[in-house]
Amino acid sequence: MTRFDLGRIDYHATQRRSLMHAASPQAKLAALALLVASVVVSTRVEVLGVLAAGALFLALASRAPIRDLASLALFPVLLASLLALSQIRGGWTLPALIMLKVLTVSLGTLSVVLCTPYHEIFHLVNHCLPALLADSLLMAYRAFFILLDRAGRVWGTLTLRGGWQAAHPIRSLRNMANVLGLLVVDAADRVQNLYDVMRVRGYRAGTIQRHVWVGWRPWNIPPLGLTSVMLVVALAGEDLLPFTLHPLTAVLLTAGVLLLWLRQEARWNRSSA
């Protein structure tokens, strides 16, 4: 997967099976919030290394191919490397912090996106946003990747026909401007056509998504437990707890959560067989 492939992401979220898939969307988003909170409070490289390892475990628990995980997780890291390199004059600590924070959040986000169908995520968003805005976000999510795929195809056509040549930068930039104009016009036309179709079919705000609330599941415990331990480790690393967390205690807590995870996954495998 060399670029954003919405169909591939949807396939992992809907067709694959794992303990992360069995957890409720609310629990997965809560676990992601705990992970992000632990990343925000952490300012030490060694602590962020531990958090990144935990996020990697969450991503691998989705049972997605490593190639897909790497291509999706490293893309934001490559973008963040531009910011990290600009801070390298003060030493390697700050660039390392930036890279580890982005990698950890990226892996944590993938553990949710690759295990949760997008409509379930937007169902939760629909609880806290106006119906029209929630529907607009859902349609924008689909349209963004469709437009991105369209841009990739147009760029490939432009390259094959010699429209982009390093030896002729002025001509190449002019051609690129024409391509961007084509994409803008095409996007406006697609949006108008989609809106007309929805009006003809009787669209009303809130008809695309319906409020769905999934109850408690035993499979929610492992991701919530692991991210809770990660938050405790992050707070302890910053001396923000009223007590001292011994490293051995942190290791035992993490090992206990991982053993619970494996036990719950074995139970899930037996129940889904």
Side-chain angles (χ1 to χ4, degrees):
M1 187 160 45
T2 57
R3 64 175 185 271
F4 288 107
D5 189 341
L6 184 61
R8 190 81 170 152
I9 294 175
D10 286 345
Y11 171 78
H12 290 311
T14 58
Q15 300 301 320
R16 290 187 177 272
R17 294 292 180 266
S18 70
L19 183 62
M20 283 292 292
H21 286 81
S24 67
Q26 295 91 332
K28 285 181 278 192
L29 289 178
L32 178 60
L34 291 173
L35 175 62
V36 172
S38 63
V39 170
V40 170
V41 302
S42 298
T43 59
R44 298 173 58 182
V45 174
E46 57 271 21
V47 174
L48 281 169
V50 175
L51 298 181
L56 178 61
F57 181 85
L58 283 173
L60 292 176
S62 67
R63 296 185 180 179
I66 296 179
R67 179 182 177 183
D68 291 351
L69 285 175
S71 62
L72 286 171
L74 293 180
F75 183 77
V77 174
L78 291 176
L79 295 179
S81 65
L82 301 176
L83 175 61
L85 290 176
S86 67
Q87 306 295 325
I88 202 172
R89 291 184 178 180
W92 286 97
T93 302
L94 184 56
L97 287 174
I98 294 174
M99 301 289 285
L100 285 173
K101 283 177 179 284
V102 173
L103 177 62
T104 304
V105 174
S106 176
L107 290 171
T109 304
L110 285 178
S111 68
V112 175
V113 173
L114 294 178
C115 299
T116 311
Y118 71 92
H119 61 86
E120 293 185 2
I121 297 177
F122 282 100
H123 281 157
L124 298 180
V125 174
N126 206 12
H127 282 280
C128 53
L129 290 178
L132 181 60
L133 181 57
D135 289 347
S136 299
L137 288 175
L138 175 61
M139 300 305 297
Y141 174 82
R142 300 293 300 185
F144 172 78
F145 289 98
I146 293 174
L147 187 61
L148 191 64
D149 181 70
R150 169 77 168 161
R153 295 187 180 186
V154 172
W155 174 256
T157 303
L158 180 67
T159 304
L160 290 175
R161 291 178 176 268
W164 180 265
Q165 298 178 2
H168 303 282
I170 302 300
R171 184 195 307 168
S172 299
L173 291 175
R174 186 184 301 114
N175 293 335
M176 191 63 189
N178 293 332
V179 169
L180 291 176
L182 173 65
L183 290 175
V184 170
V185 173
D186 182 65
D189 186 59
R190 287 173 181 264
V191 169
Q192 185 62 47
N193 290 339
L194 178 61
Y195 179 73
D196 292 340
V197 170
M198 292 173 65
R199 286 290 301 273
V200 169
R201 297 193 175 198
Y203 167 75
R204 296 292 183 274
T207 56
I208 294 182
Q209 307 179 71
R210 301 184 185 277
H211 295 281
V212 176
W213 185 261
V214 180
W216 175 259
R217 299 173 180 174
W219 325 119
N220 298 343
I221 300 176
L224 288 174
L226 180 58
T227 51
S228 298
V229 170
M230 293 168 66
L231 180 59
V232 171
V233 170
L235 293 174
E238 300 298 323
D239 297 327
L240 297 177
L241 293 178
F243 55 87
T244 302
L245 184 66
H246 194 274
L248 180 59
T249 306
V251 172
L252 291 177
L253 281 174
T254 306
V257 172
L258 293 180
L259 288 176
L260 175 64
W261 186 301
L262 295 176
R263 180 183 177 184
Q264 289 289 81
E265 187 158 12
R267 287 182 54 194
W268 177 82
N269 288 331
R270 289 195 298 269
S271 64
S272 60

